[in-house]
Amino acid sequence: MAGVAEKLQRSRSQAEGLGSNSQAVKYLGQDYEALRSQCLDNGTLFEDDMFDAAVPSLGFDQLGPESFKVEGIEWKRPPELTSDPQFIVEGATRTDVCQGGLGDCWLLAAIASLTLNKDLLHRVVPHGQSFQEDYAGIFHFQIWQFGEWVDVVIDDRLPTKNGKLLFVHSAEGSEFWSALLEKAYAKVNGCYEALSGGSSSEGFEDFTGGIAERYKLQPPRPNLYRTIHKALAHGALVGCSIPTKAGEAAESLTSQQLVKGHAYSVTGAEEILCRGEMIRLIRIRNPWGEIEWTGPWSDRSSQWEEVSEQDRERLRHRCEDGEFWMSLGDFQRQFSVLEVCSLSPDAAAVVVGGGRKHWDLHSYHSHWRKGSTAGGCRNFPKTFWMNPQFVVRLCEEDDDPEDEEEGCSFLIGVIQKSRQSRRMTTRHNMHTIGFAIYDVPEQFVGQRSVHLDQRFFLSHAQRARSETYIDLREVVTRFRLPPGEYLVVPSTHKPDLDADFYMRVFTEKQAEFHV
């Protein structure tokens, strides 16, 4: 009964808006306004006892108590580092996000992409925070976690060494919103070291509530420029990377100064006329704030002399800021992976404007439990039918299909929730998860509470499935199917594994979704 009561309470709270960006859940029960008022009344600066300025907040191994790397680290507030600290100066920009001594380029690429749209940024970084007016050493940020937004409170004591910020910092050195956001994200994930290594798509989702897809760029993808341009136009966050190969050192450089094993953000896509030919260019940013591509269309390449003065002035920036252009062809040859995070309907309405929604979203919280709902994948036919089952009814075909194939475009994402910090949920202790899709039998079309038994799955083939079963936080796959009703069966690869999960279905047009 406790589980039913919990579900009913969650449904009531969500119906009232709790967990939305405008009514975020107070993380660890900390109330920003109440704590700030208390500090102002007492004339004290806030000290966060739930994420203390101590070694456990730094890490557990390379930044743990026995590591030489934590020697000499001091926690200092921005007013102790500069005479005129600023939260944001003339709006947050990509140059505010420069990587420090932490391997979280994936996160910083996501933060840099966030700065491309101010409305989107301020969903994460609330207005009205500063080091001047009613300063109390307390700040807050909003981060999406497994279907709900949480308001995360931090103090502004930041790890430093030799009087300089140890981790993320702005190029100017006096702007601190990005360093404080990194600290809030570290708090949610357990410690700073937990942020070392990851995928930009994880950061994209946690800053937007959107859903992220991952594309391999080899062999070359058709319509890649259209995919990138359309994604950026709709406010999507886009990143790219070059994975290292076996035996290669992390963050090694190619001959043309691209960093392997490193996450970049994609910040622009343009077509320009050069020698009578239309050239497609992609703009990319290295979160280090330096080390740029030196090939064609780089900052100092001769190609810029062959375009109009207007295009040259508009696009070319001859400075070492980590941002550069390259041709679409070189982009496909040099980079291996593209990550695109499509926005949730509420974020898209803010970014696109006019109340337009690019996607329709349906979601559901559920779980796998040993002996009841943890049936494993199709390799286990005796138990597969026990998994949770969901029906999606696709009602309308796309208005603008990307090719001549007609159908309904949709994305399915299944996130396995963690009860522990990111530090404790590496790939080695996450379950391998995925899902399968079936046509709903004619006799069940239009019915609710459909749960098909073992006989159905023994005699019917799946219509589609997730691209892979994988031991990551989330598995996401894009589909296009004819209008109709489909049964989605998410599962762990092996049976009898306990886990909670959150499933989302993003559809191009209106759809219906029920258990």
Side-chain angles (χ1 to χ4, degrees):
M1 288 300 293
V4 174
E6 183 180 348
K7 286 183 179 180
L8 289 173
Q9 180 58 45
R10 175 188 290 168
S11 296
R12 282 195 294 267
S13 297
Q14 289 177 340
E16 295 168 358
L18 185 64
S20 65
N21 183 257
S22 60
Q23 196 177 333
V25 174
K26 294 175 177 58
Y27 185 66
L28 300 180
Q30 291 178 297
D31 186 313
Y32 168 73
E33 293 294 347
L35 291 169
R36 182 168 175 266
S37 296
Q38 183 180 350
C39 289
L40 291 172
D41 290 344
N42 297 336
T44 59
L45 296 179
F46 178 61
E47 294 187 359
D48 185 7
D49 58 5
M50 294 189 178
F51 195 64
D52 204 6
V55 171
S57 296
L58 291 173
F60 52 92
D61 183 20
Q62 295 297 309
L63 292 174
E66 305 300 322
S67 174
F68 71 93
K69 293 183 179 180
V70 303
E71 295 178 5
I73 291 179
E74 297 180 280
W75 296 78
K76 293 188 175 183
R77 299 182 189 270
E80 299 177 89
L81 299 173
T82 178
S83 60
D84 186 27
Q86 301 292 322
F87 186 66
I88 293 180
V89 178
E90 297 179 355
T93 65
R94 301 182 296 281
T95 59
D96 298 342
V97 189
C98 299
Q99 190 173 0
L102 191 64
D104 61 348
C105 57
W106 61 275
L107 174 64
L108 306 192
I111 297 174
S113 295
L114 196 64
T115 65
L116 296 177
N117 187 281
K118 305 310 177 189
D119 291 323
L120 201 60
L121 175 73
H122 288 299
R123 287 162 58 86
V124 176
V125 185
H127 284 290
Q129 304 187 81
S130 79
F131 290 95
Q132 285 73 42
E133 186 176 349
D134 290 333
Y135 169 66
I138 183 171
F139 293 85
H140 69 131
F141 301 87
Q142 296 194 173
I143 297 170
W144 185 88
Q145 292 284 280
F146 310 119
E148 65 182 17
W149 287 89
V150 294
D151 191 79
V152 185
V153 172
I154 58 165
D155 64 36
D156 63 348
R157 295 176 294 176
L158 297 168
T160 70
K161 186 172 282 191
N162 299 321
K164 295 184 178 180
L165 290 178
L166 191 61
F167 303 133
V168 71
H169 55 278
S170 68
E172 294 80 8
S174 60
E175 205 165 353
F176 290 93
W177 71 268
S178 57
L180 294 169
L181 174 55
E182 181 188 47
K183 181 175 183 177
Y185 201 69
K187 179 177 178 176
V188 167
N189 287 285
C191 61
Y192 277 96
E193 190 176 355
L195 308 184
S196 292
S199 168
S200 294
S201 59
E202 189 174 333
F204 287 161
E205 292 191 350
D206 288 349
F207 294 140
T208 67
I211 189 167
E213 301 170 81
R214 186 178 175 92
Y215 300 104
K216 292 182 179 179
L217 297 179
Q218 296 297 330
R221 296 184 61 85
N223 301 319
L224 178 63
Y225 179 82
R226 183 179 184 276
T227 297
I228 295 173
H229 190 272
K230 184 178 180 181
L232 292 172
H234 283 91
L237 306 189
V238 186
C240 59
S241 60
I242 311 170
T244 54
K245 297 178 182 178
E248 288 184 328
E251 298 183 348
S252 58
L253 293 177
T254 69
S255 61
Q256 292 174 304
Q257 299 296 291
L258 294 177
V259 187
K260 296 184 177 181
H262 184 60
Y264 290 79
S265 50
V266 176
T267 61
E270 293 279 349
E271 289 184 300
I272 61 173
L273 189 64
C274 179
R275 290 186 174 183
E277 179 184 359
M278 292 302 297
I279 303 295
R280 289 175 166 177
L281 301 178
I282 306 298
R283 187 175 65 198
I284 300 158
R285 185 173 189 278
N286 182 347
W288 286 349
E290 57 183 4
I291 305 183
E292 300 180 7
W293 160 254
T294 58
W297 298 103
S298 59
D299 287 1
R300 292 173 172 79
S301 73
S302 60
Q303 281 83 4
W304 290 108
E305 304 304 323
E306 300 170 354
V307 304
S308 70
E309 182 177 353
Q310 182 181 7
D311 281 341
R312 186 164 57 247
E313 291 297 319
R314 181 170 60 93
L315 302 178
R316 187 188 194 185
H317 298 284
R318 299 184 64 171
C319 60
E320 185 75 2
D321 59 359
E323 194 163 62
F324 54 88
W325 292 93
M326 62 195 313
S327 70
L328 179 67
D330 279 333
F331 176 75
Q332 288 187 287
R333 284 186 288 271
Q334 298 292 332
F335 287 91
S336 305
V337 175
L338 179 75
E339 294 173 293
V340 177
C341 181
S342 298
L343 300 184
S344 59
D346 64 320
V350 170
V351 172
V352 178
R356 177 182 173 186
K357 295 182 181 179
H358 183 57
W359 293 101
D360 195 34
L361 169 63
H362 299 269
S363 61
Y364 199 79
H365 296 268
S366 190
H367 56 258
W368 297 293
R369 293 290 182 267
K370 180 178 180 180
S372 60
T373 59
C377 69
R378 272 187 62 100
N379 295 347
F380 304 90
K382 291 184 178 180
T383 56
F384 179 69
W385 68 275
M386 299 168 61
N387 287 298
Q389 300 176 19
F390 306 87
V391 172
V392 178
R393 182 171 180 262
L394 304 175
C395 306
E396 300 178 65
E397 292 184 343
D398 301 346
D399 290 330
D400 180 28
E402 294 180 7
D403 53 36
E404 295 180 357
E405 179 187 356
E406 295 182 350
C408 308
S409 293
F410 63 107
L411 293 167
I412 295 180
V414 177
I415 303 176
Q416 52 182 321
K417 299 182 186 179
S418 60
R419 295 189 179 90
Q420 299 170 312
S421 69
R422 190 175 189 274
R423 154 187 173 179
M424 302 299 294
T425 53
T426 64
R427 287 188 62 173
H428 301 293
N429 52 29
M430 279 189 173
H431 297 318
T432 299
I433 62 172
F435 56 87
I437 300 176
Y438 296 82
D439 292 298
V440 171
E442 185 176 349
Q443 64 269 33
F444 292 103
V445 170
Q447 295 186 24
R448 301 188 69 84
S449 302
V450 173
H451 193 98
L452 302 180
D453 61 17
Q454 180 181 352
R455 291 171 298 176
F456 171 82
F457 295 105
L458 289 173
S459 59
H460 290 78
Q462 60 192 13
R463 178 64 178 265
R465 55 164 289 178
S466 54
E467 188 173 342
T468 183
Y469 272 72
I470 193 166
D471 53 345
L472 291 177
R473 181 177 86 160
E474 182 178 28
V475 58
V476 176
T477 305
R478 178 185 289 262
F479 304 94
R480 182 182 294 142
L481 294 175
E485 291 195 10
Y486 300 94
L487 189 77
V488 184
V489 186
S491 71
T492 56
H493 190 266
K494 294 181 179 180
D496 293 331
L497 297 176
D498 290 337
D500 296 329
F501 68 88
Y502 176 60
M503 190 174 86
R504 298 180 290 169
V505 181
F506 281 64
T507 58
E508 184 89 11
K509 301 298 287 290
Q510 185 179 2
E512 297 174 6
F513 179 66
H514 57 85
V515 180

